[in-house]
Each structure stands twice: as C-alpha cells, then as structure tokens.
Amino acid sequence: MNIAFKSATWSRHFHRIAWLAVALATCVILFGAFVRLSDAGLSCPDWPTCYGRAAWPTSVEGVRHATALEVRPLEVHKAWREQFHRHIAATLGVLVLGLALLAARKQRWGIARILVAAGLVAVAIPLYMKGQYAAASLLAIAGEAILLVSALRWSNIDLARVGAITLAVIVFQALLGMWTVTWLLKPVVVMGHLLGGLLTFSLLTWMAWRATDVPIRLAEAHTLRRWVGAGIAVLGVQIALGGWTSANYAALACGAGGWVGETTHWLDFPRCVGQWWPRSDFGEGFVLWRGIGADYEGGVLSGEARIAIQLAHRLMAVAAAAYLLVLATRLARIPGVRGWATLLALATLVQVGLGIANVKFSLPLAVAVAHVGGAVLLLFVLVTLLARLRSPVH
C-alpha cells in the first residue's frame, strides 16, 4: 500500500481542490443542521426548485408553481435557508466531480466513465421535474452503478477508487435530500442524510490527507489504525443515534431546563423526567420504516418511545466518550501524535458538554448546531489519524 502511494502522480492542484471540498463539506453539514434545527427543512415543498424558482421567491407573487402554496404557505425567511443549502451542496457536488475526473484520468476509460455517470444523473433531474419518476430513477441507478463498478475495478494508486465512491455518495445524498422533502421529513431519511453528509466529509478528508502526503510513520501504526478504526465505528453509531433523536424530535424527551436548587423537577440531569429509568418503549422508538405519506414534522411518536430514543443516545454517548478518551490516553504516550491526542480528548469533552447544554438550555439553536460541529471535528481527528498513520519504510 505504501509503495503504491509513493508511485502515485497527483494532479498539480488535486490536494488544494480536495481541501477546498473538505471546507465546503463542513459548511454544507453545519448549514444543513441550521436549516433542520430552525424547522426550515420543508420550507420549499418542491425539489430541486423552490416554489418553481431556481433561487427562492421573495413574495407570494414570485411563486411560479401556485399548487405549491396549497402544500405549504410561503415563509421567505425559511425558504431561502433551504434553497441556499441546496445550492452550496450542488457546488460541493461539482467539486467532487472535478476530483473524481482528476483521480480517474489515468484509468482505462476513466474520464469517460465518470462523465457518462454524471451525465445520466444530470438528465434524470429534469425528467424528475417533469413527473417521469420511473425514467429518472432508472437513469440515476444506472449512473450510480457505473461509479460503483468502476470503483471496484480501479486501482487506488491515484485515488481513483475513492474518488468514484465519493461521487457516488454525493449522488445518493442528492436523492436523500429529495426524499427528505417529498417524504415529509421521514426519520430514516433524515438520519441517512446526516450520515451521508458525514461520510462524504470523511472520504474527502481522507483523500485530502493522502494527496497532501504527510504521513506519520510509527512502528505501531498498524495497531493504532485498528484502534482508530474502532473509534470511527463507535462514533458513527453515536452519530446515527443523534440523527435518530433529532429526526424524531426526541432531544427534549426527558424534559428541558432546570438547575440544581430550582423548584422545577422537569430536568435534574442525568435523570430523565425525574427518574433514573422512566417508562420507555424501545420497540416503538426504533421502528425504522413506517411507510410513506405521513408528515413527520414535529414527530409522531409517543412520549415513551421518544424517551427510549433519548436514553439510548445518552447511554451510547457515555460509551463513545469513554472509548475516545481511552484512545486519546493511548495516543498521548506516543511522540508524534500527542497533539492529535490532546485535540481528540478536548473535542470529546466539549462534545459531551454541548450535549448536556442542549438539554439544560432547551435546545438553543447555536448550541445544537455546535453539537453537530463537534461531531464533525471528532470525525476529522479520527480520519486524519487513519489517513496519516503508516508503518516505517524499510
């Protein structure tokens, strides 16, 4: 693997484009959290336009699809957030397409395959807008299949494989974004959209570090990479639970507000509604698929089901924080990664604090968005270590 990367020949600006994509992916994730947490996720009832416009209408008179007003009244202060988020996500897609083309340029028919796949997806969008859903779906699936088959066949010497996979993830992210709107904030789709965004960020971060080629060579690199990989898995589960909590509006299921000494009993954290283990319904709380047609804005679950989701998120948070702190302690003993170990420990503690603050302060928007940012930072640290840790060259 190391020999393969030594012989790689990068495009002159590949690493710069990759780092720009990492920065933009961070913005897309955080602004997406802002849109979601400010209840603007359904403010544009159509996709990919907003009330029939490429941008967004500034008044009712500017609405091009009058039927959209029957679905949802226009709220300009929310509509611009949703459509602007779509635009920056589309810009990220263009950057990822550029990276995939640069990475595949030395593969047999590499550029042609990427362009054909992208072209199929591009043609699918206007077909979807015209109501030809079956044809649009077939074209999108065909584009995804070309990318995934190419990724399996290609070498990763010049990051062609990961470039194709990242583009495939971006395409699927667009589909999830569409389903988020058309399926009315269906929780499994909202959670998947969050996970897809963070997977895109992780792949781009890995690509950027590999292209920058600044390895940290340690004798125990192989063992440490296994520890880091396990940390990413644990963090991924916790992020999924956090996305499920948010998508089901269960963040305040155990109560909100209240501090020691106050008369209110709604929250004496870490207890839940005044109890250490209140009545909960895990079976109902973790039903992933409930069919299509219901409007999930505001949540549809019972209080006991939401309590179960919140308890699961809290328990997994304890396990994830404990593992990451143990990993940070292990890394702190090794010269060369002590700085990353310190950052990992601090980011973990801050993330725990933000989670508690979300509950104590009744989910303030700034704190909730910062909590998503904390997950991004933790992923960045772990993926960085996974990309840079390598065994010495003999």
Side-chain angles (χ1 to χ4, degrees):
M1 181 66 73
N2 292 332
I3 294 175
F5 277 104
K6 280 182 66 179
S7 62
T9 54
W10 311 114
S11 173
R12 181 179 178 184
H13 298 294
F14 186 92
H15 69 290
R16 294 185 178 91
I17 299 173
W19 282 116
L20 178 60
V22 170
L24 186 55
T26 304
C27 294
V28 170
I29 292 169
L30 294 181
F31 196 81
F34 168 70
V35 171
R36 163 72 178 151
L37 292 164
S38 60
D39 296 321
L42 293 180
S43 54
C44 293
D46 48 335
W47 185 95
T49 55
C50 184
Y51 290 94
R53 303 186 68 93
W56 54 86
T58 56
S59 65
V60 175
E61 290 73 21
V63 173
R64 290 183 178 175
H65 292 168
T67 54
L69 291 173
E70 300 174 5
V71 177
R72 184 166 295 271
L74 174 63
E75 295 179 274
V76 177
H77 68 287
K78 291 185 178 181
W80 78 265
R81 302 174 188 177
E82 171 64 8
Q83 194 65 355
F84 180 73
H85 177 244
R86 294 177 185 177
H87 284 312
I88 58 176
T91 304
L92 177 61
V94 173
L95 282 180
V96 172
L97 173 60
L99 288 170
L101 288 170
L102 288 173
R105 72 193 190 285
K106 292 190 176 181
Q107 302 293 330
R108 181 177 176 83
W109 301 105
I111 290 180
R113 291 187 185 187
I114 296 294
L115 288 176
V116 168
L120 290 172
V121 174
V123 172
I125 295 175
L127 289 178
Y128 171 83
M129 295 172 66
K130 293 178 182 179
Q132 300 179 31
Y133 304 125
S137 299
L138 288 174
L139 288 177
I141 291 171
E144 287 282 75
I146 291 173
L147 291 172
L148 293 175
V149 170
S150 298
L152 290 173
R153 295 174 61 88
W154 287 345
S155 162
N156 205 37
I157 290 178
D158 292 308
L159 299 178
R161 177 178 297 164
V162 71
I165 290 174
T166 306
L167 183 58
V169 172
I170 279 284
V171 172
F172 193 64
Q173 269 294 89
L175 293 175
L176 287 171
M178 174 189 70
W179 293 329
T180 297
V181 174
T182 57
W183 291 355
L184 304 176
L185 299 180
K186 189 172 182 60
V188 70
V189 175
V190 174
M191 179 184 69
H193 199 41
L194 171 65
L195 292 176
L198 291 169
L199 175 59
T200 302
F201 171 82
S202 300
L203 289 169
L204 288 170
T205 300
W206 192 88
M207 249 197 300
W209 278 120
R210 283 293 195 174
T212 305
D213 198 22
V214 282
I216 301 173
R217 299 200 179 275
L218 298 171
E220 58 268 64
H222 179 69
T223 301
L224 290 177
R225 281 169 58 88
R226 291 171 61 183
W227 274 75
V228 171
I232 292 175
V234 169
L235 180 61
V237 173
Q238 175 60 3
I239 289 172
L241 283 172
W244 190 246
T245 300
S246 177
N248 286 283
Y249 299 84
L252 301 179
C254 286
W259 295 87
V260 175
E262 294 188 2
T263 58
T264 179
H265 69 279
W266 279 107
L267 183 70
D268 45 346
F269 186 88
R271 290 191 288 183
C272 179
V273 290
Q275 302 175 49
W276 287 109
W277 195 262
R279 291 184 60 180
S280 51
D281 190 343
F282 283 85
E284 181 68 14
F286 287 91
V287 175
L288 296 181
W289 188 263
R290 296 178 183 275
I292 301 172
D295 187 343
Y296 291 93
E297 188 172 22
V300 297
L301 297 181
S302 66
E304 291 182 1
R306 298 191 203 201
I307 285 174
I309 295 172
Q310 175 63 205
L311 289 175
H313 185 48
R314 289 187 184 187
L315 291 172
M316 188 61 200
V318 174
Y323 183 88
L324 294 178
L325 290 174
V326 169
L327 175 58
T329 302
R330 183 183 177 97
L331 292 171
R333 299 169 184 166
I334 304 172
V337 289
R338 286 173 179 162
W340 290 106
T342 302
L343 181 57
L344 177 60
L346 289 176
T348 300
L349 294 174
V350 169
Q351 184 70 340
V352 171
L354 287 170
I356 295 172
N358 267 330
V359 179
K360 283 289 189 180
F361 292 107
S362 303
L363 206 65
L365 184 58
V367 176
V369 173
H371 196 46
V372 176
V376 173
L377 177 58
L378 285 170
L379 265 181
F380 178 78
V381 174
L382 293 173
V383 173
T384 294
L385 290 170
L386 191 66
R388 295 184 63 189
L389 284 171
R390 300 186 219 172
S391 300
V393 176
H394 298 294

